[in-house]
Amino acid sequence: MNAAWSQIVVNALLTGSISLLVALSLHLIRACNGFFDLTVASVFAVAPYGVFVCLHLASGSYPIQSGIGIAACVTGVLVALSCGFLLNWFLFAPFRRKAVSGGVLLVIGWAAYMFLENFLGVLFGQDSLSIRWFSEPQPIKILGAYLTPLNVATIIIAAVLALGAVGMLRGGLSLKVRCVADNPELALLRGIHVERVRATSAMCAAMLAGTAGILQGLDTQLSPRMGFEPVLNGIAALLIGQEWGAVGVILAALGLAQLQQFVGWTWGNDWQSVCTFILVVMFLLWRGSGRAISATSGGKL
Amino acid sequence: MIYLLEILNQLCIYVALLVAMDLILGKTGLLSAMQASIYGTGAYATGILSAHLGISMWITLPISIMLGAVVCSSLALISIRVSDEALVLVTLAFQMIWSDLANNLGSLTGGPMGLRGIPPFRLLGFESDNPIAGLVLSATLACLALLVAAKTDISPLGRAIKAARESELFLSSCGRNAALMKAQAFALAGAIAGAAGSIYAMHVGYISPGSFDVAESIRMITALVLGGLDSLWGPIAGAVLLVGLPEAVRFLGISGSTAANIDQMVYALILIGLVALRPKGLWGRYAIR
C-alpha cells in the first residue's frame, strides 16, 4: 500500500471515529425512544464550548497545565450529560406523555437544535474559537501515514467508547431498551422504570456525542454550527447500518468515512457530502429503510 | 415607499411558497425539508437559461415550473419507499445535495458568490425589477396559488389526497392509487414553488445558494405550522410571520449576526410552543402527527 492510500485509510479512521460516536448516539436514542434526535448536534457543540468556558476560567494560570486541560474536558463531558438529561426531561418527556409520533419528536428536536445553536452564537459569537491548550507535537509516521498523538488518542477513545456502547446494548440494558421501545406500558407493568431507561439512554447518547464534539474541537476549531455535519454523517451511517444493529452502524460510519476520504482525494472535499447523501438516498430507495426497519419492530440493537 | 413595496413583494412570493408547501404538508401530511431547494431550482433554471444563454423569460418561466413539478413529484415516488420519518431525512439529504451542487458547480451557478445579471420579466413595457411591476407579478402568482389551493381543496383530487393522508389502505380499497394522488399534489406544489423561484430571480436579478439553504426550508415549515396546515389563511398568516419577524428584529436595533441568531431562536421557540399548545396553528385544520 503506498503512502497516499495509507493516509486516506488513516484519515478515514480518524473522521470515522467522530462519525461513529455520533451515529451510536443517534442509534441509542432511536432504539430506545424511537425517533431521530437532532439535538445530538447541539450536544456535540455544547460540550466543547463547556471546555472552552472552563479553560477561560482557568486562563489566570497560563500556560494551562495538562491536568487542568483534562479536567476541563471531563467537565465538558459532564456538561453534555447534563444537557442530554435536561433535554430529555424538560423537552421530550412531556411530549412523549402526549403520545406524539416520532415525526413530531423529530421536529421538536430540530427546533431545539436551532435554538441551542443560535443561543451559542449569541453567547460566543460566530467566530471560530480554540480549546487546544497544548502545542501540537510533531506528527508520527505509522505504516506510511502521518498521525499526531491527538489523532491516535481520538481513535483509541472512540474505539473504547464504541466497544462500551456495543457491550451495553448487548448486555443488561438491551432487554430494557427493547421493552421500552416496543411497548412502554407493558414494560411498566413488568416493573421496568420506563422514564429512567429513557433518561439513561439519553444521557449515554449525550456522553458519546459530547466526547465526539470535544475530540473534534481539540483537533479543529469551535463554531456553533459544528455539530450539524457530523450529525448528518451520523444519520447517514444510522440509516445504512441500523438494520444490523450497533455493529452495523459502526461499520457504516467507518465505510462512509472511507468513501468521503476517497472522494475528497479524487474529486475534492466539496464533493464529499454530495456523494454521501447520494449513497444514502440510493440505499434508502433500494432497501426501503424506515418502513421496514423500525426501533419498535424488534430490530437488532 | 419602495421599502414597503419590496416587503409586500416578498410577502406575496412567500404566500405562494407556503401554499405550495401546504399542498405537501397540509394535504398529504408528509413533511418535506427540501422546499427551499425546489424554490431554488426554479430560480436557478431561470437564472442559468436567461443569464448564460439569453433565453426569453417566456421559455424560462415554463421550464422552471416544469422542473419544479418534476423534482417535487419524484419526492412522491420516494415517499412510497420510505417511512414518513425517514422521508424527512431523505428530503433533508436532498436539500444538502442541492446546496452542495449549487455551491460546487461554480461555472454554471456562480458558486457561493451567486449568479448575477438575470434579466427582468418584460411585459407591455413594464419590467419586473421595478417594485410596482414586480409586486403585480408576485401578487398574481400568490392569487393564482391560492386559487389552485382552494380549487384543489374542494375537488375530488383534493379529497382523495386527504383520504390518503388519513389512510392509504382505505383509499386503495376505494380503487384509487394513493401514490398517484400524492404525485399529483407534489407536482402542483413543485410547479408553484418553481414559478415563485423564477419570478423571484427575475425580480432581484441576482441569486445565491444562501437564499435557498436548509435554514430557509426550516423557516418555511415553522411559518406554515404557525399559520396553520390545510387551510387557505394558514399560508398567508405564516408568510406575514416569515417576512415580518426579521423586519421587527431589525427595528429593535440589534446587530446583523445577533439579529439573525435571535430571529432563529424565536422561530424555534414558536415551533416548540405551537406543537405543544396549538398543534393546528392559528387557522389550521390539520396537525402534524
Side-chain angles (χ1 to χ4, degrees), chain B:
Chain B
M1 187 62 184
I2 291 175
Y3 170 75
L4 193 66
L5 288 173
E6 288 298 339
I7 294 284
L8 285 173
N9 195 333
Q10 220 180 337
L11 185 77
C12 290
I13 285 179
Y14 275 122
V15 167
L17 284 169
L18 294 188
V19 165
M21 186 168 239
D22 189 50
L23 281 170
I24 300 174
L25 181 54
K27 302 283 191 286
T28 68
L30 296 171
L31 181 55
S32 156
M34 57 181 276
Q35 182 71 358
S37 64
I38 310 280
Y39 172 42
T41 301
Y44 270 99
T46 294
I48 291 166
L49 291 174
S50 56
H52 285 330
L53 304 174
I55 295 174
S56 155
M57 80 271 177
W58 294 109
I59 298 169
T60 59
L61 182 59
I63 288 177
S64 296
I65 292 171
M66 272 194 295
L67 262 179
V70 168
V71 172
C72 209
S73 54
S74 65
L75 191 62
L77 301 177
I78 295 169
S79 74
I80 302 165
R81 294 283 298 158
V82 298
S83 71
D84 294 356
E85 196 189 1
L87 183 70
V88 179
L89 299 168
V90 172
T91 53
L92 189 64
F94 259 122
Q95 174 71 54
M96 302 307 293
I97 293 169
W98 188 92
S99 292
D100 281 347
L101 287 177
N103 277 308
N104 296 346
L105 297 173
S107 56
L108 201 63
T109 63
M113 301 302 288
L115 192 61
R116 292 171 192 281
I118 302 166
F121 193 99
R122 291 188 184 87
L123 184 66
L124 304 172
F126 291 101
E127 293 190 347
S128 68
D129 56 353
N130 173 300
I132 296 172
L135 178 61
V136 171
L137 194 61
S138 54
T140 308
L141 173 74
C143 292
L144 278 174
L146 285 166
L147 190 69
V148 167
K151 286 281 179 197
T152 308
D153 202 38
I154 52 169
S155 70
L157 171 71
R159 292 196 179 107
I161 291 166
K162 283 194 220 175
R165 180 182 75 191
E166 302 304 325
S167 169
E168 282 187 27
L169 199 63
F170 166 75
L171 193 70
S172 303
S173 72
C174 298
R176 305 293 288 266
N177 185 340
L180 191 67
M181 300 288 121
K182 279 186 196 172
Q184 287 178 30
F186 277 60
L188 261 179
I192 294 171
S198 178
I199 285 172
Y200 169 77
M202 287 189 284
H203 176 64
V204 295
Y206 163 76
I207 48 173
S208 69
S211 307
F212 314 104
D213 62 2
V214 67
E216 184 70 6
S217 283
I218 295 169
R219 273 197 292 273
M220 285 189 221
I221 293 169
T222 313
L224 184 61
V225 173
L226 173 84
L229 299 169
D230 193 15
S231 101
L232 279 183
W233 286 104
I236 297 171
V240 170
L241 169 88
L242 207 54
V243 176
L245 186 64
E247 299 305 319
V249 173
R250 191 183 305 174
F251 277 115
L252 290 176
I254 302 167
S255 74
S257 64
T258 312
N261 286 138
I262 290 175
D263 198 24
Q264 294 288 310
M265 284 165 70
V266 172
Y267 278 125
L269 286 178
I270 289 174
L271 188 56
I272 294 171
L274 274 174
V275 177
L277 304 171
R278 200 179 164 83
K280 288 187 177 174
L282 295 174
W283 277 284
R285 291 183 295 183
Y286 171 73
I288 320 177
R289 53 194 182 206

Side-chain angles (χ1 to χ4, degrees), chain A residues 40-61:
Chain A
V40 166
S42 39
V43 175
F44 185 96
V46 162
Y49 274 102
V51 177
F52 176 79
V53 170
C54 289
L55 291 175
H56 188 71
L57 291 174
S59 60
S61 59

